[in-house]
Structures are given as structure tokens and as C-alpha cells.
Amino acid sequence: MVSKKPRIVIIGAGMAGLTAANKLYTATGFKDQFELCVVEGGRRIGGRINTSEFGGDRIEMGATWIHGIGGSPLHQIAREIHALESEQPWECMDGWSEEPTTIAEGGFELNPSIVQPVTTLFKNLMDYAQGKMIEDSEGSEGIDYSNLAAKAFKIRTNNGGQEKLSVGSFLRNGLNAYWVSKKDQGELKGYGNWSRRLLEEGIFGIHENIERTYTSAVKLGRKVTGIEWQPEGHESSDKQNGHAARPVKLQFNDGSNMLADHVIVTVSLGVLKAGIREDSGMFNPPLPPFKSEAISRLGYGVVNKLFLQVECHDLSKFPFLQMVFHRPESEFRHKKIPWWMRRTANLCPIYSNSSVLLSWFAGKEALELESLQDEQIIDGVSATLSSFLSQPYKQVNSNSHELCNGNGKSVENIHGNEVKVTKILRSRWGTDPLFLGSYSYVAVGSSGDDLDKMAEPLPKQSSAASPPPLQILFAGEATHRTHYSTTHGAYLSGLREANRLLQHYHCVGV
Ligand SMILES: Cc1cc2nc3c(=O)[nH]c(=O)nc-3n(C[C@H](O)[C@H](O)[C@H](O)COP(=O)(O)OP(=O)(O)OC[C@H]3O[C@@H](n4cnc5c(N)ncnc54)[C@H](O)[C@@H]3O)c2cc1C
Ligand SMILES: *[C@@H]1O[C@H](CO)[C@@H](O)[C@H](O)[C@H]1NC(C)=O
Ligand SMILES: *[C@@H]1O[C@H](CO)[C@@H](O)[C@H](O)[C@H]1NC(C)=O
Ligand SMILES: *[C@@H]1O[C@H](CO)[C@@H](O)[C@H](O)[C@H]1NC(C)=O
């Protein structure tokens, strides 16, 4: 009898799904203990983390902050992968000017002069592997990276064969070729038992691990439309070649399907709310009441970000604008300011001197923002800027030029600077069918217990003697009792469900 590896399918390549996949993969020593697959309905990974570009600046359309850095696993990772630095300016970079700190096991803080060359090497090798040009072939240490990569590509396997080189072996060949080509820099002192080579290998390993989470079997454009499961367990179900058929069947929007032993569902609470509506047919049979009631009771809101590119003579003078509005029904209100602007707390450049301004919107104002034309938004914001920025200018220079707010798009700010909104970019979390909102909250009538119910796997264990079948597991921010709504909550939930499966199969996990 051929033994069959358990097949685990993870639905969603957001923080929770990728974390679970990475944990299942790495905890088993990369030994392919499971058939592991991530299916993602969208065309990119990251889910509600959506880094983008606007007006030449790097921006975040979704999650922006690592909430609380002390002891945060995400802050740790962000530091390790150098995500806290960038060559391009980024949102709220002011005050983040510190160099990241890299620390080796045992508490040895590494000087950037050790870290940087390895990072550069890795980047150049990846560029080569992806067929990109290596821009600067003469590296900082006088290393010709193109030549080195070409060598790494040609190194044959031990038996002299012509096997196809995996990206992983190519990278390792590259590291070895690097060591051969590099002039001896002498041993490092003061790093305990760490030699320079071990440190370099360790730093290289960080990059490999990041790459692994990107390049493992994530299938994009695979939207799950149906999940068939066996609430009564499946011991008695049909047998194939001496073992039970995989109990869960996934249907995809292209009509194809896939069988699995375990499915980790990480779709948002909004997608689950839509999925339990009678007409949806997402779960077959439908989820049991304890689960669907928790899904219904918990709250799931819409938050959107609006980025505006402005033209302004002296951007450094654009204020961190905090707006105090009249009540929406007040007779004193400025009629041209649209209602959806009136609950926006502030409007400010994403870092000092950036020509990109940012505003956050929530609730029905956020949904309205998704439905408007770009032009309507530009008009509404311009009217608001006009109302807020022109007045002080008037007071200071009451005898000079006319205010140019006649067309509602071009206004003078506090310092006599013309501010013109030229283009906008807004997130659309509420109407995107893969999210249907932004993040969950404990609504009136729900409680932390509902979050725990969200996390319970299905079907329920039938008796204490038999192991739980773990057909459908749930991860995602809305399944974490204390850190729901955050990226680290999503991260921890992904680890939790991966560990549940590892324990089930008596793997080490943690
Ligand atoms: C505007 C905004 C600002 C935020 N700010 C912060 C912040 O500053 N700090 C913070 O910690 N958190 C913030 N968050 C919350 C944070 O982004 C989320 O909590 C976290 O990213 C959720 O991760 P997840 O894996 O649970 O879900 P998701 O990221 O939603 O991942 C689920 C994945 O499933 C996919 N999917 C959905 N349906 C299907 C289907 N039927 N078939 C296949 N795939 C499907 C989706 O495309 C998605 O990729 C913010 C969120 C938003 C929207
Ligand atoms: C180095 O390794 C030796 C032997 O394994 C060990 O006894 C020693 O404590 C280590 N030193 C440091 C600084 O970790
Ligand atoms: C912003 O730009 C102005 C003018 O170009 C310059 O004087 C100022 O130092 C800049 N401020 C910052 C924080 O970069
Ligand atoms: C993610 O960012 C892109 C811009 O790069 C944008 O077009 C898309 O709408 C964003 N997704 C959501 C759900 O806001």
C-alpha cells in the first residue's frame, strides 16, 4: 500500500495564510511531509497588506502600522528582512530614520558592514535568477556579480550531470562562488562562536526564508466558491486503494475542484458573512449554528485610505492639518464641503516635503468614497482645503492678492502657497469581493467568546477517544481573541492553526 501524504490546502495568501504555510513547511524541516498548497482568489499575495506606489512615493493601501513593537513577532521579522528601511521615501518615515538592528543568536548585534554585502549578493543573485539585468556589476567589494552568478549557474552537480538547477541550489552555488572570489577579510572577533562565514551564511538564510514564503506553491487567481465537508466524520465514506478518500472538496470559480484532508480557511470575516447567506452555497453542508451565529454577531467595518497628489510651491509649509468641522446640519457649515469629508480627522503629507497627502475614512463615509468618481473626490477635497486653508491667509495678508478658490480646485494655503489636487488613489476594501470590508471588531451583542468560536475547527470532535478530524480549520485576524483586527493577530492565528495540524501529526511544532 502506497502511503499517501496528507494534503493541506490553505485558502487565502494574506498574513494568516502565508504564516501557516511557512510554519507547516519549515517546522517539518522542509521534508515535504505534507502536500501543501495555498490558493488565493486575487492576482497578488498579501491580502489586506497592499503596498503600492503613488506620486513617486511608496504607500500602503491597507495595513500601515505594526501596532506595538515590544515583543511583536512582526516587528522582529520586519527588522530581520530589512523591511523597516527603503531607498524610496515612505509613509510616515519621519521618526523612523534609525538604522535597523540585526542581531545574531546569542545576542550579537551585527554591524551593517557585515549584513549589507550579503544582502547585496542575494539581491543580485535573485535578479539574475529572474532574468533581470544586474545593474551594478562591480559591487562594493570589487565583486563582479554578473560573472559570479553566471559561474553559480554553471556549477554542475557532483555526478557531473546536467540536472535542472533549482533556484535554491543556484543561490547556494552563488554564495560559495562569493566566498571563493572574496579576498580574505580575516576572522571576526567578539562574536562568540560565530565566524564570519557562519554569520554570512545566517544572513543569507534570512533572505532565503523570505524568498521561500514568496515562491512556495501559492496559486493566484484561484477563488474558492464552495467547500464540501463531512460533518459526521468520513470513516465510513468510500475507500480508494485501501484508504479513505480525502474528506473535503473545494470548488473553484473556473469550475475545477480539488480534494483535501485539511483546509485552513483564512478569508475575511466579511467574506464569511457573505458565505453564510442562504443563497451563497459556500459551505456544503452549511456551517453549524454556533459558528454561523458567531460570524453574524461579530462586527466588520470599512476603513479606507485616500491619497492625494498636490501641487504646492513650498510643500515644507503644508501643515499637519487637523480639522474641526461644524455639525453636518449646522447653518454655519461650508456648503461645498461634502458630507463624506466631515468625519475626516486630518489631512497631511505622508512625510515632510512629500507631495502626497493622506486622509483616513471609516464607516459609511469610507463606502461612499469607493463609489465616487475621481473628479468628485478632487472637488470635495479641494472645497475642504479651500475652507480650511484660506482663512488664516486672509487674516495674515488681508490686503494682498485675491484668494484663488473660485473653481474649488486651487486654493491658497496658510502661507500664500497655492495648493492644487492633481490626482488621487483610494483603497476599495468595502466593495472588493475578496475582502468586503477592512477589519473586525467586537460589536454590541458579541464578545471575546465569539472570536474563540471563530477559531474552532470543524467538525466537532465526536468523542474524547477519537482524534478531531480537523477538516476545516479557521485562521485570520477575526479568529484571534485578543489581537483581532491586526496583522500580528492574523500572524498568530496562522501559527496557531499550523501548530494544530503539526500536533495532530505528532510533529514538533511550537
Ligand atoms: C485600510 C486598512 C488599514 C489597516 N491598518 C492596519 C495597521 O495599521 N496595523 C495592523 O496591524 N493591521 C491593520 N489592518 C488590518 C490588517 O491588514 C489585517 O488584520 C490583516 O492583514 C488580515 O490578514 P488575514 O490573513 O487575516 O486576512 P486577509 O489579508 O484578508 O487574507 C485573506 C486572503 O484570502 C483571499 N480570499 C478571500 N476570499 C477568497 C476565496 N473565496 N478564495 C480564495 N481566496 C480568497 C483574499 O484575497 C486575501 O488575500 C488594516 C486593514 C485595512 C484594510
Ligand atoms: C562556544 O562553544 C563552546 C562549545 O560548544 C561553548 O562551551 C561556549 O560556551 C560557546 N561560547 C559562546 C560565547 O557561546
Ligand atoms: C523640505 O524642503 C525645504 C525646501 O526645499 C527644505 O528647506 C527643508 O529642509 C526640507 N525639509 C525636510 C524635513 O526635508
Ligand atoms: C491594492 O492596491 C492597488 C494599487 O496598487 C489598487 O489598485 C487596489 O485597488 C488595492 N486593493 C484594494 C482592495 O484597495
Side-chain angles (χ1 to χ4, degrees):
M1 188 175 89
V2 185
S3 76
K4 189 175 65 169
K5 283 186 215 163
R7 183 183 293 158
I8 303 171
V9 180
I10 298 171
I11 306 177
M15 180 57 89
L18 292 179
T19 303
N22 190 51
K23 178 73 192 179
L24 286 166
Y25 188 57
T26 54
T28 52
F30 314 104
K31 281 201 215 86
D32 290 339
Q33 182 139 2
F34 304 117
E35 260 185 51
L36 192 59
C37 177
V38 183
V39 293
E40 165 56 53
R43 291 273 153 210
R44 56 173 186 88
I45 63 166
R48 280 170 270 171
I49 299 172
N50 188 6
T51 306
S52 188
E53 213 196 89
F54 180 68
D57 286 334
R58 202 180 89 185
I59 54 154
E60 297 294 343
M61 300 287 275
T64 310
W65 307 98
I66 297 175
H67 292 301
I69 60 174
S72 161
L74 287 192
H75 189 250
Q76 169 90 17
I77 294 169
R79 259 186 4 212
E80 285 173 3
I81 66 172
H82 303 275
L84 302 179
E85 59 186 320
S86 165
E87 305 208 323
Q88 236 183 322
W90 67 95
E91 234 178 293
C92 306
M93 65 190 270
D94 310 308
W96 291 77
S97 53
E98 264 177 30
E99 283 276 303
T101 315
T102 310
I103 300 174
E105 190 172 334
F108 302 99
E109 183 166 334
L110 303 187
N111 191 297
S113 69
I114 302 174
V115 181
Q116 200 49 52
V118 185
T119 303
T120 307
L121 167 70
F122 191 91
K123 185 187 167 297
N124 279 310
L125 290 172
M126 276 313 291
D127 281 357
Y128 187 91
Q130 292 167 347
K132 292 183 203 156
M133 288 290 292
I134 295 182
E135 316 128 18
D136 175 20
S137 66
E138 279 286 296
S140 49
E141 293 178 273
I143 288 170
D144 181 340
Y145 288 106
S146 317
N147 184 25
L148 189 146
K151 264 192 211 149
F153 195 66
K154 284 193 199 113
I155 296 174
R156 297 277 149 82
T157 51
N158 283 340
N159 56 17
Q162 293 269 12
E163 283 172 47
K164 272 196 175 168
L165 196 63
S166 72
V167 174
S169 339
F170 163 72
L171 289 170
R172 281 290 157 155
N173 287 349
L175 180 61
N176 286 321
Y178 171 77
W179 281 329
V180 170
S181 71
K182 208 176 64 156
K183 51 184 181 299
D184 185 28
Q185 293 176 284
E187 259 319 306
L188 283 168
K189 293 222 165 62
Y191 291 87
N193 288 329
W194 283 103
S195 67
R196 184 185 289 275
R197 189 164 280 213
L198 284 176
L199 283 174
E200 287 176 345
E201 191 176 1
I203 299 160
F204 200 80
I206 293 175
H207 293 291
E208 284 176 325
N209 287 334
I210 303 158
E211 204 55 44
R212 207 167 264 140
T213 63
Y214 293 155
T215 52
S216 68
V218 177
K219 298 192 172 155
L220 300 177
R222 296 279 275 157
K223 186 176 179 187
V224 174
T225 52
I227 303 173
E228 260 174 54
W229 57 296
Q230 320 266 332
E232 307 303 334
H234 73 296
E235 288 81 6
S236 59
S237 65
D238 60 319
K239 309 249 172 177
Q240 293 177 347
N241 306 326
H243 31 235
R246 305 186 196 271
V248 189
K249 184 171 170 185
L250 297 179
Q251 262 128 29
F252 294 94
N253 56 340
D254 62 2
S256 65
N257 54 57
M258 187 192 270
L259 296 176
D261 295 288
H262 311 282
V263 169
I264 305 180
V265 175
T266 76
V267 305
S268 76
L269 180 57
V271 172
L272 286 175
K273 279 177 186 284
I276 59 170
R277 284 202 310 255
E278 262 169 41
D279 55 347
S280 123
M282 172 92 152
F283 293 95
N284 183 15
L287 294 177
F290 89 90
K291 186 68 93 176
S292 57
E293 283 162 13
I295 292 171
S296 303
R297 275 193 298 263
L298 285 166
Y300 186 66
V302 182
V303 173
N304 275 316
K305 294 175 80 173
L306 169 65
F307 294 92
L308 308 130
Q309 185 165 37
V310 296
E311 274 171 15
C312 179
H313 296 314
D314 186 358
L315 280 162
S316 68
K317 299 216 175 94
F318 195 96
F320 183 108
L321 179 61
Q322 189 162 282
M323 296 175 283
V324 180
F325 286 100
H326 282 299
R327 285 155 175 251
E329 72 282 0
S330 163
E331 55 175 308
F332 305 119
R333 77 182 197 279
H334 191 308
K335 306 281 190 307
K336 280 188 176 157
I337 299 179
W339 65 269
W340 47 265
M341 275 301 300
R342 295 191 162 275
R343 292 179 74 181
T344 306
N346 45 53
L347 186 65
C348 53
I350 59 173
Y351 58 87
S352 45
N353 283 6
S354 171
S355 64
V356 174
L357 310 185
L358 165 65
S359 263
W360 290 76
F361 292 78
K364 62 183 198 302
E365 287 83 1
L367 268 181
E368 178 72 7
L369 194 72
E370 295 189 30
S371 72
L372 297 171
Q373 304 289 317
D374 284 13
E375 197 60 22
Q376 292 173 293
I377 295 176
I378 292 178
D379 287 348
V381 173
S382 301
T384 310
L385 280 173
S386 155
S387 162
F388 279 84
L389 296 183
S390 57
Q391 206 57 23
Y393 170 73
K394 240 193 229 161
Q395 284 171 357
V396 176
N397 291 310
S398 51
N399 57 354
S400 54
H401 345 266
E402 281 284 285
L403 294 171
C404 50
N405 59 355
N407 62 7
K409 284 186 196 171
S410 189
V411 297
E412 302 239 336
N413 88 358
I414 297 170
H415 305 277
N417 240 326
E418 188 177 299
V419 182
K420 187 167 181 285
V421 179
T422 52
K423 63 172 181 174
I424 64 147
L425 179 68
R426 71 317 245 299
S427 60
R428 289 192 157 108
W429 299 105
T431 44
D432 188 319
L434 291 170
F435 302 97
L436 298 173
S438 300
Y439 38 82
S440 57
Y441 59 93
V442 177
V444 177
S446 64
S447 72
D449 291 347
D450 285 329
L451 291 158
D452 286 345
K453 286 178 190 153
M454 292 292 299
E456 273 186 47
L458 293 173
K460 281 201 162 176
Q461 195 164 359
S462 51
S463 78
S466 60
L470 303 184
Q471 289 175 19
I472 311 183
L473 302 91
F474 294 85
E477 55 89 7
T479 69
H480 197 282
R481 187 177 177 113
T482 45
H483 296 296
Y484 59 87
S485 90
T486 66
T487 46
H488 59 278
Y491 173 88
L492 294 169
S493 77
L495 283 187
R496 181 191 66 218
E497 296 311 314
N499 282 329
R500 203 191 292 278
L501 285 170
L502 289 169
Q503 269 158 25
H504 185 75
Y505 288 102
H506 310 291
C507 303
V508 257
V510 172

